[in-house]
Amino acid sequence: SSRSSSSSAVSAAELQAAALVAAACDNGATLLASRDTLKQKKDIKIAEAEFANRLALLQQRAQHARAHKNLQAVQRKRREHHAARDELDERHRQQRHALELEGLKSLKQLAGRQLAELQQAQRRHQEAKHSIERDQQLRQLKAERKARQKGGGGGGGGG
């Protein structure tokens, strides 16, 4: 009977010990679980921070890419504008050149006409000069002839 009571006492102590072990295991499991939960929360925070950093970096890269693209567009527009301006300047230069050539041609024509008129005037002047000289020579010859006739006739009568 004492044996049965002792066996029942042992089993009660064992049960109590088992209950304590079970409780300790539960507590341990709870501690482990809470530690895991804390670790997960910490991991999640780290992951969120990394994600935020990556997102910020991607946004920065996207902004840089947009800025670069905008800069390229502005530079392309500027090059196009310069090319158009250069083309316009070249066209104006060619037009000016053409006008200058036209002006030179018309000046040359005008100069040619004026030269022709001048040469014609010089010829007329020369002809008029020759005509006057001939008239003077003729008058002089006539005067000399008259003088000879007078002088020759008078001289013959006197001899």
Side-chain angles (χ1 to χ4, degrees):
S1 138
S2 71
R3 203 166 183 192
S4 72
S5 77
S6 85
S7 96
S8 71
V10 168
S11 68
E14 280 176 353
L15 282 176
Q16 201 177 0
L20 284 173
V21 168
C25 283
D26 283 348
N27 286 341
T30 305
L31 281 173
L32 284 174
S34 64
R35 192 189 70 185
D36 287 349
T37 305
L38 282 173
K39 191 177 181 318
Q40 283 175 347
K41 282 183 179 174
K42 194 176 174 187
D43 289 348
I44 287 170
K45 278 190 177 159
I46 290 170
E48 282 175 347
E50 284 177 1
F51 177 76
N53 286 341
R54 283 195 191 132
L55 184 65
L57 192 66
L58 286 174
Q59 286 173 335
Q60 197 177 11
R61 281 186 188 157
Q63 196 176 352
H64 284 173
R66 279 195 301 274
H68 185 65
K69 210 173 187 181
N70 289 344
L71 180 66
Q72 283 181 327
V74 165
Q75 288 173 337
R76 189 183 67 243
K77 286 231 167 51
R78 190 177 293 145
R79 279 194 303 272
E80 288 170 1
H81 172 71
H82 285 317
R85 194 186 58 202
D86 290 348
E87 191 180 328
L88 200 62
D89 287 349
E90 178 61 22
R91 224 179 292 154
H92 282 162
R93 194 188 63 71
Q94 286 175 354
Q95 285 175 344
R96 254 197 330 272
H97 188 63
L99 284 173
E100 286 169 3
L101 278 178
E102 284 300 311
L104 286 175
K105 281 180 190 170
S106 59
L107 276 176
K108 194 176 172 187
Q109 288 172 348
L110 181 67
R113 283 196 300 270
Q114 287 178 338
L115 182 65
E117 288 171 11
L118 183 67
Q119 287 171 339
Q120 207 174 2
Q122 281 178 333
R123 275 195 301 273
R124 281 197 300 266
H125 172 72
Q126 215 55 37
E127 287 167 7
K129 194 172 147 189
H130 287 317
S131 173
I132 289 168
E133 285 173 358
R134 273 198 309 272
D135 287 352
Q136 281 179 340
Q137 283 176 348
L138 285 173
R139 262 186 262 134
Q140 198 176 346
L141 282 172
K142 280 182 184 176
E144 285 174 7
R145 239 185 251 145
K146 258 187 185 175
R148 252 185 290 164
Q149 284 172 354
K150 262 189 185 177

